């Protein structure tokens, strides 16, 4: 009895047979797609309206078919055997006296099977009729080279009133003349560097580092690093100028190395 | 039906003709109207109807498929136009069955398809139909598990030359015979369970007859 | 030229019509004949000629180009088969600035715009404003080089809901709205309401300077 619910629903509820089983079945059972397919084929061989088929006759045919397949020692997929067991039960139930029946009645089970066969048959016929229609690309053809419909994009520009006015305000703010005030800064001028270097070169003919020509850093305002940088820059330019005038020689042994200079006797 | 003299064609009719002709896919009357700069849909429909009559009997027909219009060659010329190189990959029997079940029962879940076929549906079977553009996912059914449900597409109707699903071969007869109803519903009707009296009496009688024979 | 009644069409004419329609490229009469299983080329030619007459005046024409036949939409309908779709787009920051400058200073040359903005103005920026229909070419300035000068259009006033350019907010209003921070007081004083006949002296100097530079 516990077979019934499962068997009555054997379609989707059944696990698919393993690939190997399906293959064996395919050969053995001539390409039927499962027990319902086989049953439908057997039913159609009765050559009557599916609504008038003999379920008992169908059951006998199915069982004998499965028996034969087993006799040939073919591996039968589980769902074929489950269906066989269920049909064997159905047959015995249909043959039993009515009073001893439990719910659901064997007539109901038989009807369910018949309804399912009808529905599968209906869809199989429908599929065949569908496939036989004049099909686009096989029997009838659409235009081979349609020009296509063009959709041109047109921009609808938008701008908010506030954005416009704000943009103008910002242009004006951005381009307003700005006065730059340069603060007076202590520097050593080129002139003072020139006279300082000329005077010091007169005192010796030795090579001296450019740094040595700067005012001593401990000396009051010359401690200011900014002023010292200015002194170095001006002294460097002054040294170049003196070299150009032939009053001094410059030497540097390596890139970024110390710059040395000495005076040239006229 | 004779062709209209070209002089009798108004600009809308010519424009509709040209638009459908030039389009790369079937077009609804609304899309045509929108494309023609907001022509009246009613006018476009009338033009389509007149054009369809114009072309009836010619080598090319104007047809409606699922509310979309396109030109296609006349079916009776198939034997002259069939091209070897365009021979389509044959659908497997499983795929054609699944397609028919989706078309006649839509929207339908995979479990419902399998219940009708009595076998599990291989993964690739639905994929082939989805890839062909004939079947689409139409959402989920609001039942436990929320299964995906499938339906056919306008391309399906166009491919099989159906103006609408009402044109599916034999669908009226199948519906009248209750063959599109689920088995449980048909069973309940056949057994005259309460609340199932709306089933066709003929169907009930026939199934009862069938039962009688089986006893 | 009236269409032939469909009944008058022979099978060859219909087949030729369908074959050319379904072809992916224009076909010679010979190719059509071969495609139709060896029809007579002369018959195909005659059918093509009759079909071409059939379609004259319709939305679709059958035309011959270099001995090859194909259908195409009627040339006079080309404008109907192209549709414009509007896309809302915001004006860029640069374009907004240029538009504002044109509005406050019109008529104004590109060099003057650049002098006011303090940056070069891409050609595309003015094109956008011309395309939007907010700025128009208002002639040329009679100075060396005869530069094109630009002004706003009625569409500009309409878009911004202005009765006239006098409705553009003056400098005092801009400052009150905090739109002129941090602007030099002297320059702010120089800016007054637009729509007058003379540009502000300072502005004129700026633009003249700009002109000098360009010469």
């Amino acid at each position: 009895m516990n077979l019934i619910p499962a068997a009555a629903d054997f379609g989707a509820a059944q696990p698919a047979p393993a690939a190997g089983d399906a293959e064996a079945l395919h050969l053995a059972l001539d390409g039927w797609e499962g027990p319902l397919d086989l049953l439908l084929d057997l039913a159609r061989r009765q050559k009557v309206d599916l609504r008038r088929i003999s379920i008992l006759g169908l059951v006998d045919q199915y069982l004998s078919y499965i028996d034969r397949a087993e006799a040939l020692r073919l591996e039968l997929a589980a769902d074929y055997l489950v269906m066989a067991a269920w049909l064997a039960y159905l047959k015995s139930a249909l043959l039993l006296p009515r009073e001893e029946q439990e719910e659901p009645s064997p007539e109901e089970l038989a009807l369910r099977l018949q309804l399912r066969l009808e529905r599968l048959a209906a869809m199989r016929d429908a599929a065949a009729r569908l496939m036989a229609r004049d099909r686009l690309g096989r029997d009838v053809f659409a235009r081979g080279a349609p020009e296509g419909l063009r959709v041109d994009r047109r921009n609808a520009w938008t701008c908010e009133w506030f954005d416009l006015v704000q943009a103008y305000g910002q242009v004006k703010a951005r381009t307003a003349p700005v006065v730059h005030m340069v603060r007076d800064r202590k520097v050593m001028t080129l002139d003072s560097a020139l006279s300082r270097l000329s005077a010091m070169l007169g005192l010796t003919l030795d090579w001296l580092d450019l740094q040595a020509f700067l005012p001593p850093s401990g000396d009051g305002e010359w401690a200011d690093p900014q002023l010292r940088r200015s002194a170095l820059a001006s002294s460097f330019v002054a040294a170049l100028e003196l070299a150009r005038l032939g009053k001094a020689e410059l030497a540097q042994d390596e890139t970024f190395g110390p710059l040395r200079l000495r005076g040239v006797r006229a | 039906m004779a062709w209209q003299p070209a002089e009798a064609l108004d600009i809308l009719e010519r424009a509709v003709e040209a638009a459908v002709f030039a389009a790369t896919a079937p077009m609804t009357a609304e899309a045509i109207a929108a494309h023609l700069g907001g022509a009246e849909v009613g006018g476009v429909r009338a033009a389509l109807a007149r054009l369809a009559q114009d072309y009836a009997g010619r080598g090319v027909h104007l047809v409606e498929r699922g509310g979309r219009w396109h030109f296609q060659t006349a079916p009776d010329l198939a034997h002259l136009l069939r091209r070897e190189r365009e021979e389509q990959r044959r659908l497997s029997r499983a795929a054609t069955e699944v397609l028919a079940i989706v078309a006649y029962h839509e929207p339908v879940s995979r479990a419902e398809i399998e219940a009708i076929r009595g076998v599990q549906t291989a993964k690739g079977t639905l994929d082939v139909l989805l890839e062909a553009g004939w079947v689409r996912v139409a959402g989920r059914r609001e039942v436990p598990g929320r299964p995906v449900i499938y339906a056919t597409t306008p391309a399906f109707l166009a491919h099989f030359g159906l103006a609408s699903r009402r044109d599916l071969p034999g669908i009226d007869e199948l519906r009248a015979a209750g063959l599109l109803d689920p088995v449980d519903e048909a069973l309940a009707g056949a057994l005259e369970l309460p609340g199932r009296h709306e089933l066709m009496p003929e169907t009930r009688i026939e199934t009862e007859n069938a039962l009688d024979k089986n006893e």
Side-chain angles (χ1 to χ4, degrees), chain B residues 1-7 9 11 13-15 17-19 21-22 31 34-37 51 54-61 71-74 76-77 80-81 83 85:
Chain B
M1 172 62 212
W3 293 80
Q4 298 179 69
E7 307 87 68
L9 289 170
I11 180 79
E13 199 164 335
R14 292 181 67 234
E17 183 180 28
F21 212 80
H35 197 91
L36 297 177
L51 284 166
D54 268 12
Y55 278 89
R58 291 202 73 98
V60 170
H61 292 169
F71 283 102
Q72 65 178 33
T73 57
D76 65 306
L77 299 172
L80 290 169
L81 300 175
R83 279 165 263 183
R85 65 190 167 81

Side-chain angles (χ1 to χ4, degrees), chain B residues 118-133:
Chain B
V119 285
Q120 288 224 328
T121 300
K123 171 99 180 62
T125 307
L126 265 166
D127 289 349
V128 163
L129 300 175
L130 289 163
E131 192 187 315

Side-chain angles (χ1 to χ4, degrees), chain A residues 77-152:
Chain A
D79 50 352
Y80 283 84
L81 296 175
V82 168
M83 175 64 92
W86 184 75
L87 289 175
Y89 161 78
L90 175 62
K91 179 181 174 185
S92 65
L94 285 170
L95 295 174
L96 278 176
R98 203 168 251 282
E99 301 79 53
E100 296 174 27
Q101 300 299 329
E102 295 179 32
E103 287 294 320
S105 68
E107 285 77 16
E108 187 180 330
L109 295 176
L111 177 56
R112 176 179 283 275
L113 174 60
Q114 185 198 348
L115 290 172
R116 295 195 61 188
L117 291 173
E118 275 179 30
R119 273 155 186 72
L120 178 58
M123 284 302 105
R124 199 153 281 178
D125 292 345
R129 290 172 72 178
L130 207 49
M131 293 302 139
R133 289 184 65 85
D134 289 320
R135 288 163 62 182
L136 195 61
R138 187 190 68 173
D139 308 295
V140 297
F141 298 89
R143 184 140 179 246
E147 290 94 340
L149 297 169
R150 267 180 54 193
V151 177
D152 294 340

Side-chain angles (χ1 to χ4, degrees), chain A residues 162-232:
Chain A
F162 176 77
D163 293 338
L164 181 76
V165 174
Q166 187 195 43
Y168 190 67
Q170 290 185 357
V171 165
K172 281 304 178 185
R174 190 174 69 219
T175 59
V178 179
V179 179
H180 289 283
M181 301 290 290
V182 181
R183 262 188 304 119
D184 197 17
R185 204 156 52 92
K186 280 212 153 71
V187 293
M188 176 186 261
T189 64
L190 183 56
D191 282 345
S192 68
L194 260 178
S195 51
R196 183 182 173 87
L197 249 68
S198 305
M200 289 176 75
L201 283 175
L203 301 177
T204 173
L205 281 180
D206 291 340
W207 287 100
L208 283 176
D209 246 26
L210 183 61
Q211 295 277 357
F213 290 87
L214 302 188
S217 62
D219 188 1
E221 61 175 4
W222 292 105
D224 179 4
Q226 280 208 343
L227 185 54
R228 288 195 67 74
R229 274 215 300 280
S230 164
L232 180 61

Side-chain angles (χ1 to χ4, degrees), chain A residues 1-2 11 15 24 35 40 53 56 59 61 67 89 92 95 105 114 116 118 126 146 180 185 225 255 262:
Chain A
M1 219 40 201
N2 55 354
L40 179 60
I53 53 162
L56 272 181
V59 168
Q61 286 173 40
D67 280 347
Y89 161 78
S92 65
L95 295 174
S105 68
Q114 185 198 348
R116 295 195 61 188
E118 275 179 30
H180 289 283
R185 204 156 52 92
T255 312
R262 69 173 178 187

Side-chain angles (χ1 to χ4, degrees), chain B residues 59-165:
Chain B
V60 170
H61 292 169
L62 177 62
V63 295
E64 184 191 2
R65 302 287 182 249
R68 292 156 204 267
W69 294 80
H70 71 272
F71 283 102
Q72 65 178 33
T73 57
D76 65 306
L77 299 172
H79 64 288
L80 290 169
L81 300 175
R82 202 168 280 145
R83 279 165 263 183
E84 298 305 320
R85 65 190 167 81
E86 295 208 4
E87 187 56 47
Q88 288 162 343
R89 195 163 49 134
R90 275 179 61 86
L91 283 182
S92 69
R93 200 182 80 175
T96 61
E97 262 180 45
V98 170
L99 179 62
I101 291 168
V102 173
Y104 285 77
H105 291 265
E106 75 175 43
V108 66
S109 71
R110 176 189 281 251
E112 288 157 359
I113 295 169
E114 292 178 343
I116 293 170
R117 297 190 61 227
V119 285
Q120 288 224 328
T121 300
K123 171 99 180 62
T125 307
L126 265 166
D127 289 349
V128 163
L129 300 175
L130 289 163
E131 192 187 315
W134 293 338
V135 166
R136 66 188 166 89
V137 170
R140 291 177 180 275
R141 202 183 291 300
E142 289 306 332
V143 296
R146 302 188 70 239
V148 167
I149 48 179
Y150 299 91
T152 54
T153 63
F156 163 79
L157 296 175
H159 182 86
F160 290 98
L162 302 162
S164 75
R165 281 187 60 245

